[in-house]
Amino acid sequence: MIKLVRRTAVAAGIAALSLASNASWAASYTYDFKTFFDTSTILDLLDTKTLSYSVATLNIADITGGVQLTLSQLANPFPAKTSSGTFIEALWLSGPNGTLASTSGTGLAAGSGYSWLLPLIKDAGYTYQWNIDFATGKFAEGTTSTLTIKGSGVNAAAFAKAGTVPMLNLGNIGSPYNGLLGLNNEVHFIGKLQASVPEPATYALMGLGLIGIAAAARRRAA
């Protein structure tokens, strides 16, 4: 039995170290957006409500020299003001500074980028360095926008471990979330991490740990 445990641990450790050594492999984090700050209540900056469906998804993945952001607005039944449906107006992120570029999909609006001064404070005290604005009324349901952020120290894990979840502005919203006299134009959704592919270093540590278990089992058997 001990031999079987040792062999299994060694095999798993070698496999993990092999994955970690693959230079083409990259970390990736996926979020969905179901929870929003309920603007139909008095405490609209604090009260949250969670839907049974996602209005959008965000994937942050490592690429050479930075990260690629893939943001999609899903077709959804969230109340809209007009028959055009809802639109993503902005994405807020915490993470390292870099150079932002739009590579496909909806174009960026003027003012998008990294805050060089103090982080920007949003609902419930969340703070963000990145304010990524999209062209008004363009990022409709069924649309995907792909962007890149490149720079020194820019990687997917840095955004995932920044301590603040992504937030997006959903515009053209309808009753009951458009407030008194229908004057409110948007609600803010916060992302929830759904899946992640760990960093190579994580696999390396796991591999070394499994090989260590095998070594300990061998010593006990000796």
Side-chain angles (χ1 to χ4, degrees), residues 41-63:
T41 71
I42 295 176
L43 298 176
D44 62 351
L45 298 180
L46 297 173
D47 289 347
T48 58
K49 190 171 184 177
T50 300
L51 305 171
S52 61
Y53 56 87
S54 300
V55 300
T57 61
L58 170 68
N59 178 261
I60 304 176
D62 285 336
I63 59 173

Side-chain angles (χ1 to χ4, degrees), residues 31-103:
Y31 299 82
D32 72 0
F33 294 83
K34 292 183 177 180
T35 300
F36 64 99
F37 291 92
D38 190 350
T39 52
S40 69
T41 71
I42 295 176
L43 298 176
D44 62 351
L45 298 180
L46 297 173
D47 289 347
T48 58
K49 190 171 184 177
T50 300
L51 305 171
S52 61
Y53 56 87
S54 300
V55 300
T57 61
L58 170 68
N59 178 261
I60 304 176
D62 285 336
I63 59 173
T64 301
V67 296
Q68 177 174 283
L69 311 176
T70 304
L71 179 63
S72 300
Q73 185 182 184
L74 309 176
N76 65 81
F78 194 80
K81 184 179 293 186
T82 70
S83 60
S84 298
T86 56
F87 297 92
I88 293 178
E89 305 291 351
L91 174 67
W92 301 80
L93 296 171
S94 285
N97 189 15
T99 301
L100 173 68
S102 177
T103 58

Side-chain angles (χ1 to χ4, degrees), residues 11-25:
I14 292 172
L17 289 171
S18 176
L19 280 173
S21 65
N22 184 351
S24 65
W25 185 85

Side-chain angles (χ1 to χ4, degrees), residues 4 11 13 32 39 50 65 72 79 97 101 111 125-126 139 148 168-169 176 186 198 207 214 217 220-221:
L4 178 61
D32 72 0
T39 52
T50 300
S72 300
N97 189 15
Y126 285 114
F139 203 148
T148 61
L168 62 79
N169 297 8
E186 59 187 35
R220 285 197 299 269

